[in-house]
């Protein structure tokens, strides 16, 4: 991990600096990269948590990345991270602090970036120079602003429920135990649906680790989402095995799993897991997102949770890695084993050829928003 710790002084108020740094159109007047607004965050604004922006980076190849705003405590702190980029970029996060001074304000700009091995030494220096040039442009632009800034728009202050996350933690531990038992029982019966059940348990384990480490800004919301997803998964599986009502997406997914006549065949295992993952994203995730949001709908904006939701992507990748490790080595394709050892990003790119879960994850969030707002053409369960 490489850190760029930079600072600059501006000849404007903190409120004006906030607009310079957070409004994509205004940012393009001083930044070396070109920023395009893609989707609003909380309160329907681009300077709120959950807002999505696309940036054409100021590097020779002009790569495009997508960012999500993770913190927006105006007018003093703004943070974002890249959630979609080239496989060569493992992580990129930026935090910006704005403090008033006697002559205007000071901006503290910190970037943490991680590239795949051998790429960092080549890309990090020009990236730092580009950021330094952008901050110089920011300082120059601040000198041309009017003396009296317009007031910032109203921002609601979310009320935190004391002890909410801690109260949900034992429930999630029980659900995790249930998922492990379910996966073991299916495996004992040589039921191919065991592989997806095992993936669910591994994902829950990894999510709980991250919650315990304080990785999420909204741990209570995350655990509510996990709880709803668990209940939907168990009820769907029970309905299918008992001949009850099941959505078309899940009926087709479980049918793919049941067609596997060789529980050790990687091709058949992968087909079943992919089919179930698609049904999970298409059918369960949007409704679980809407249900988890319902608990705070009177005081929060649905889009504020987008950053934590997108941060589940690495958890899913870790769970898939662990699932592959449980498949006997002789049945795992050699190219998949080697790519994971040499460069995990290459393995991830290969898996997208079978299933682009990132695209489905974004669509699920949008469909959850439609359900939460009770608008849009969302099929019934």
């Amino acid at each position: 991990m490489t850190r760029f710790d930079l600072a600059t002084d501006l000849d404007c108020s903190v409120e004006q600096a906030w607009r310079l740094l957070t409004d994509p159109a205004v940012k393009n007047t001083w930044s070396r990269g070109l920023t395009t607004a893609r989707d609003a965050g909380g309160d329907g604004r681009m300077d709120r948590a959950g807002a999505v922006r696309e940036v054409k980076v100021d590097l020779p190849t002009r790569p495009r990345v997508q960012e999500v705003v993770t913190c927006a405590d105006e007018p003093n702190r703004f943070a974002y991270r890249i959630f979609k980029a080239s496989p060569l970029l493992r992580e990129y996060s930026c935090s910006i602090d704005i403090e008033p001074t006697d002559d205007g304000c000071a901006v503290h700009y910190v970037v943490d970036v991680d590239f795949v091995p051998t790429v960092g030494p080549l890309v990090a220096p020009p990236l730092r120079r580009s950021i330094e040039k952008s901050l110089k442009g920011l300082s120059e632009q601040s000198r041309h602003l009017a003396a009296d800034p317009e007031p910032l728009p109203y921002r609601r202050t979310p009320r935190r429920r004391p002890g909410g996350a801690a109260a949900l933690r034992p429930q999630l531990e029980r659900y995790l135990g249930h998922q492990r038992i379910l996966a073991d029982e299916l495996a004992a019966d040589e039921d191919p649906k065991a592989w997806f059940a095992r993936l669910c348990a591994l994902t829950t384990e990894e999510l709980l680790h991250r919650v315990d480490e304080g990785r999420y800004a909204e741990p209570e919301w995350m655990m509510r989402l996990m709880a709803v997803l668990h209940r939907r998964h168990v009820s769907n599986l029970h309905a299918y095995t008992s001949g009850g009502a099941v959505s078309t997406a899940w009926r087709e997914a479980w049918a793919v799993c049941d067609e596997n006549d060789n529980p050790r065949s990687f091709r058949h295992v992968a087909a079943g897991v992919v089919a179930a993952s698609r049904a999970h994203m298409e059918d369960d995730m949007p409704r679980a997102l809407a249900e988890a949001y319902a608990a705070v709908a009177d005081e929060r904006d649905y889009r504020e949770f987008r950053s934590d939701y997108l941060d589940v992507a690495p958890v899913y990748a870790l769970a898939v890695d662990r699932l592959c490790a449980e498949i006997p080595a002789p049945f795992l394709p050699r190219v998949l084993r080697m790519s994971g050892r040499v460069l995990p990003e290459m393995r991830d790119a290969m898996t997208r050829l079978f299933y682009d879960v990132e695209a489905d994850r974004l669509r699920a969030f949008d469909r959850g928003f439609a359900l939460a707002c009770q608008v849009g053409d969302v099929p019934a369960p």
Side-chain angles (χ1 to χ4, degrees):
M1 184 75 73
T2 301
R3 168 165 288 194
F4 306 144
D5 196 329
L6 307 170
T8 189
D9 293 323
L10 306 185
D11 295 330
C12 64
S13 68
V14 292
E15 290 81 9
Q16 290 172 314
W18 178 266
R19 284 199 175 90
L20 283 171
L21 288 157
T22 64
D23 186 321
V26 178
K27 183 182 178 185
N28 288 335
T29 64
W30 56 265
S31 176
R32 303 281 295 186
L34 178 63
T35 301
T36 303
R38 287 303 180 201
D39 207 346
D43 300 326
R45 296 183 58 87
M46 291 303 300
D47 60 346
R48 297 293 191 261
V52 174
R53 315 178 300 183
E54 183 175 274
V55 179
K56 184 185 290 186
V57 184
D58 180 36
L59 288 173
T61 58
R62 302 296 284 173
R64 292 180 181 271
V65 301
Q66 291 194 32
E67 305 169 343
V68 61
V69 176
T70 58
C71 176
D73 293 334
E74 84 263 21
N76 299 115
R77 185 170 179 80
F78 188 74
Y80 62 89
R81 65 179 176 82
I82 291 176
F83 69 90
K84 189 172 184 179
S86 162
L88 300 178
L89 177 64
R90 288 178 168 172
E91 187 174 340
Y92 184 107
S93 61
C94 175
S95 62
I96 305 170
D97 290 296
I98 312 169
E99 297 295 337
T101 63
D102 293 339
D103 300 321
C105 64
V107 172
H108 185 203
Y109 200 97
V110 178
V111 171
D112 289 308
V113 60
D114 185 28
F115 295 96
V116 299
T118 73
V119 172
L122 298 175
V123 181
L127 180 60
R128 181 188 177 97
R129 288 194 295 270
S130 176
I131 296 173
E132 289 173 339
K133 291 177 181 178
S134 291
L135 291 180
K136 183 178 179 181
L138 171 65
S139 182
E140 292 175 353
Q141 186 69 18
S142 71
R143 299 169 188 157
H144 306 296
L145 300 178
D148 298 322
E150 296 179 3
L152 291 171
Y154 165 77
R155 172 186 171 86
R156 59 180 140 188
T157 302
R159 291 174 293 172
R160 304 291 180 180
R161 291 178 170 83
L168 287 169
R169 187 62 174 78
Q171 180 187 43
L172 265 297
E173 199 65 45
R174 291 194 299 272
Y175 284 170
L176 174 58
H178 188 182
Q179 290 171 8
R180 289 168 174 163
I181 292 172
L182 179 60
D184 290 343
E185 289 177 345
L186 291 170
D189 292 338
E190 296 188 347
D191 189 326
K193 293 188 287 296
W195 290 106
F196 183 72
R198 182 63 180 147
L199 180 61
C200 290
L202 294 172
T203 302
T204 299
E205 285 182 27
E206 296 293 343
L207 280 170
L208 286 177
H209 287 325
R210 288 203 163 204
V211 168
D212 293 342
E213 292 171 354
R215 295 288 297 271
Y216 297 113
E218 307 288 348
E220 180 180 352
W221 173 85
M222 180 61 71
M223 286 196 282
R224 287 187 186 280
L225 178 64
M226 293 163 63
V228 178
L229 286 171
H230 166 77
R231 292 193 291 268
R232 291 193 65 85
H233 169 59
V234 172
S235 61
N236 278 328
L237 182 58
H238 175 72
Y240 177 78
T241 56
S242 62
V246 183
S247 69
T248 301
W250 271 115
R251 187 170 296 280
E252 292 176 352
W254 292 136
V256 171
C257 293
D258 287 342
E259 289 171 2
N260 180 4
D261 55 1
N262 183 356
R264 292 180 176 270
S265 165
F266 176 79
R267 181 170 63 87
H268 288 95
V269 168
V273 170
V274 167
S277 296
R278 287 183 186 276
H280 170 75
M281 283 295 174
E282 175 186 334
D283 199 69
D284 286 355
M285 187 62 77
R287 292 176 174 83
L289 285 164
E291 186 175 336
Y293 172 67
V296 294
D298 60 333
E299 58 192 67
R300 302 294 300 276
D301 189 302
Y302 175 93
R303 293 163 290 193
E304 294 177 44
F305 302 99
R306 188 184 342 238
S307 174
D308 276 356
Y309 171 73
L310 293 177
D311 202 25
V312 172
V315 172
Y316 182 80
L318 286 171
V320 169
D321 283 347
R322 292 180 61 186
L323 186 70
C324 288
E326 296 182 8
I327 298 176
F331 301 100
L332 195 66
R334 179 176 298 178
V335 65
L336 199 60
R337 295 200 307 270
M338 295 303 297
S339 64
R341 293 172 186 170
V342 177
L343 189 62
E345 289 75 18
M346 183 186 302
R347 183 269 330 281
D348 295 341
M350 291 174 59
T351 57
R352 288 193 202 101
L353 298 175
F354 300 97
Y355 177 41
D356 187 358
V357 66
E358 293 177 354
D360 266 9
R361 185 178 292 113
L362 291 171
R363 282 192 288 269
F365 190 83
D366 291 341
R367 293 181 66 244
F369 183 49
L371 280 170
C373 298
Q374 297 184 341
V375 296
D377 182 17
V378 181

